[in-house]
Amino acid sequence: MSLHLNLLIPEILFLINYVILIVYYGYYTISKVHKYVISYKQNVSMPAMILLTVVLLELKYPFACHYILESSIYINEYTNLIKLILNLVVFFICIISYTYIKTLKLNNFETYILILSAQLGILIILISNNLILLYLSLELTTITIYILISLNKLNNYSIEAGLKYFIIGAVTSGMFLIGLSILYGTTGVTTISDLLLFSSSYYLNLATNSFQLIDFYIILSFLFIIISLLFKIYSAPFHLWISDIYQGATMHVLSYISTVP
């Protein structure tokens, strides 16, 4: 059976370049020849080049609908378009942040490494058709954003903002996992497409309109999942704590977390 892994070439290339970039930055920071410092241009241009390469690849991939790896990944033209837009947004964030980090002397390469890490999680979220893969990729993104918010050494509110986001994020991640567990326990499936088939067949074949226990469990699971996601995207009325993050994060990190996620 063909795995259609060629359809994941942009994501695979993104991951390979990401690992190479970590090794490259690590070599520079321990090298006496390079004075243990990465220049501002290297700090910005190399992540931007990775994103631009992935964007150019995605322009060549007008996919039809495909299920990959036992239906755990679903790719179509719509998800490819969204990935293209989000990678372009992060590319421009990297470019326009050059003057900002140079002016404030924020030459810490970890910021862009973490932005690429969060971006990798978001790209996986977009193509996830499995609840477990969806949860893991969501956690990869949110945990990375906790660290991003806490990196600002020039602002005393940065650690406080990161800690608040971590506490609330940990609670909402637990809620999300509880919702997925109830949903799996009720339906017995983990793929989103199978959940759609289950719900369609269940409500079409329902003999009566009476409220049953399975309806309660499905509604309860969706309630946990939706509330968790509303917290994660800072939506009202779960947005009261977000002002601390805006106060503590640097502008290029804020540009990322206020758009892409």
Side-chain angles (χ1 to χ4, degrees), residues 15-250:
L15 179 60
I16 293 173
N17 286 334
Y18 172 71
V19 173
I20 292 173
L21 186 63
I22 292 176
V23 174
Y24 177 81
Y25 281 168
Y27 167 73
Y28 257 73
T29 53
I30 64 172
S31 174
K32 186 177 180 180
V33 177
H34 303 289
K35 299 179 181 179
Y36 313 105
V37 175
I38 298 171
S39 67
Y40 292 102
K41 287 184 179 179
Q42 285 177 311
N43 204 353
V44 173
S45 62
M46 299 193 71
M49 286 173 60
I50 292 176
L51 291 163
L52 185 60
T53 304
V54 175
V55 166
L56 293 175
L57 269 176
E58 286 168 346
L59 287 173
K60 295 291 185 179
Y61 278 78
F63 300 134
C65 299
H66 282 287
Y67 288 96
I68 308 174
L69 301 177
E70 300 296 333
S71 298
S72 60
I73 292 176
Y74 177 64
I75 294 178
N76 58 18
E77 293 182 0
Y78 179 72
T79 56
N80 188 57
L81 176 63
I82 300 300
K83 288 191 294 182
L84 179 66
I85 293 172
L86 294 184
N87 284 329
L88 279 174
V89 170
V90 182
F91 170 76
F92 285 116
I93 288 173
C94 290
I95 297 301
I96 64 177
S97 65
Y98 172 72
T99 304
Y100 174 76
I101 65 170
K102 191 173 182 180
T103 302
L104 296 183
K105 298 180 179 178
L106 297 173
N107 196 23
N108 49 338
F109 70 90
E110 296 90 352
T111 300
Y112 293 97
I113 289 292
L114 290 168
I115 286 177
L116 289 181
S117 177
Q119 185 68 5
L120 179 62
I122 287 174
L123 294 180
I124 299 173
I125 289 173
L126 284 169
I127 59 177
S128 295
N129 190 46
N130 186 285
L131 296 178
I132 300 172
L133 181 62
L134 177 65
Y135 176 75
L136 292 175
S137 55
L138 185 64
E139 287 307 293
L140 172 62
T141 301
T142 52
I143 291 173
T144 305
I145 292 176
Y146 304 153
I147 304 170
L148 273 172
I149 293 168
S150 306
L151 280 181
N152 186 9
K153 299 176 182 178
L154 301 179
N155 193 330
N156 294 328
Y157 293 103
S158 179
I159 300 296
E160 179 188 354
L163 183 60
K164 284 184 178 180
Y165 194 11
F166 171 75
I167 293 172
I168 293 175
V171 173
T172 55
S173 294
M175 293 176 61
F176 190 83
L177 191 57
I178 290 171
L180 294 186
S181 302
I182 296 173
L183 192 60
Y184 174 70
T186 305
T187 61
V189 296
T190 58
T191 55
I192 297 172
S193 54
D194 289 343
L195 282 172
L196 177 62
L197 292 174
F198 175 88
S199 59
S200 301
S201 60
Y202 173 75
Y203 287 106
L204 284 175
N205 297 328
L206 197 60
T208 63
N209 293 325
S210 60
F211 189 81
Q212 298 186 9
L213 187 61
I214 190 172
D215 299 306
F216 171 75
Y217 284 133
I218 290 176
I219 292 171
L220 183 65
S221 66
F222 284 154
L223 187 64
F224 274 110
I225 292 170
I226 290 171
I227 290 177
S228 172
L229 292 177
L230 289 177
F231 264 112
K232 288 183 183 297
I233 63 172
Y234 341 117
S235 179
F238 310 105
H239 67 295
L240 300 178
W241 53 277
I242 195 64
S243 57
D244 293 315
I245 291 179
Y246 276 67
Q247 192 174 13
T250 55

Side-chain angles (χ1 to χ4, degrees), residues 4-23:
H4 296 291
L5 291 180
N6 60 305
L7 301 179
L8 292 175
I9 286 178
E11 286 76 19
I12 294 172
L13 184 65
F14 187 102
L15 179 60
I16 293 173
N17 286 334
Y18 172 71
V19 173
I20 292 173
L21 186 63
I22 292 176
V23 174

